[in-house]
Amino acid sequence: AQEEPQAYGGSRNPYDARSPHDARNPRDARRAQQAHDAHEAAMRAFGIALKRGFAGWRVHVLSNDPALPRQLGMKERRRTPLFNGALECRLFGFEIFAPREMAATADGG
């Protein structure tokens, strides 16, 4: 009997837990979660920077992430579907308002 070639690091099944291509690998899941958390923190910081430095401006951001407005902490005024090649995206339009704490101090309250 002829033996089957072994792929995926010696495992025949690409979904076997010993496979380096297994999405269930805990180290990969940890790295993916860390990358997700870093992305969320970066978007939060970007939203804060927009509110602090660009109050009164209109900003448009092209993204394929539908959660972008929530990540920025802002409500989009406009959401236009576009395609970047084959990738479906949205052009989010925002009106930037000062953060609440800055608006309260500017109003004297």
Side-chain angles (χ1 to χ4, degrees):
Q2 190 174 15
E3 196 171 315
E4 291 181 37
Q6 295 196 359
Y8 304 108
S11 173
R12 292 180 194 178
N13 181 351
Y15 301 105
D16 188 319
R18 296 172 305 213
S19 170
H21 303 288
D22 184 5
R24 297 172 295 174
N25 182 331
R27 288 178 302 193
D28 292 341
R30 235 183 349 263
R31 281 189 218 119
Q33 185 62 46
Q34 288 170 345
H36 174 76
D37 292 346
H39 172 75
E40 291 272 333
M43 291 299 102
R44 240 185 338 271
F46 180 50
I48 290 168
L50 287 172
K51 290 175 186 177
R52 287 190 176 153
F54 299 93
W57 289 44
R58 289 187 184 153
V59 175
H60 290 82
V61 180
L62 179 66
S63 176
N64 70 333
D65 188 354
L68 179 72
R70 179 190 54 78
Q71 294 167 350
L72 293 175
M74 295 190 279
K75 174 74 175 137
E76 75 275 10
R77 297 278 300 189
R78 191 169 195 147
R79 177 187 295 224
T80 307
L82 297 173
F83 283 86
N84 183 7
L87 184 63
E88 185 175 358
C89 297
R90 296 287 180 267
L91 181 63
F92 295 102
F94 301 98
E95 285 189 35
I96 308 300
F97 299 98
R100 289 187 181 132
E101 66 272 6
M102 288 179 67
T105 57
D107 293 338

